Amino acid sequence: MQSLSDLKLHEKAQVLRVDVSGAADRQKLFACGLIPGAEITIERIAPLGCPLQIRLEGDILLSIRKTEANYVKVNRINR
């Protein structure tokens, strides 16, 4: 299991869990759609590695800081 920040450009993954201690931070990530079972694809990575632009479930584009992406644990999907 790796974090969302470990994925490379155009890799696909499924969210397994969100490992953040603060309830407000967890709620923020859940509200953005980063919930267990969601499928994501890395669309773009900024030149310095932050932020990451991800596609959720094929329809939603989301930019997320690398520090927040470290909290999201994923499993790579081979397609």
Side-chain angles (χ1 to χ4, degrees):
M1 175 176 23
Q2 54 268 117
S3 66
L4 176 58
S5 62
D6 295 331
L7 297 178
K8 307 293 184 219
L9 191 62
H10 303 299
E11 281 192 308
K12 296 178 189 276
Q14 184 176 37
V15 176
L16 297 177
R17 67 177 190 254
V18 177
D19 282 342
V20 62
S21 59
D25 291 333
R26 180 176 300 130
Q27 182 62 32
K28 176 184 171 185
L29 293 172
F30 283 172
C32 290
L34 294 170
I35 59 173
E39 289 189 10
I40 59 168
T41 305
I42 302 294
E43 291 290 320
R44 292 188 179 108
I45 301 173
L48 297 177
C50 183
L52 306 172
Q53 185 181 52
I54 59 174
R55 183 174 299 275
L56 290 158
E57 303 289 336
D59 294 338
I60 301 167
L61 285 175
L62 173 69
S63 291
I64 185 171
R65 293 181 187 116
K66 194 168 188 173
T67 55
E68 293 168 332
N70 285 327
Y71 300 134
V72 181
K73 304 304 178 191
V74 299
N75 187 27
R76 282 189 175 105
I77 298 173
N78 295 325
R79 290 189 186 172

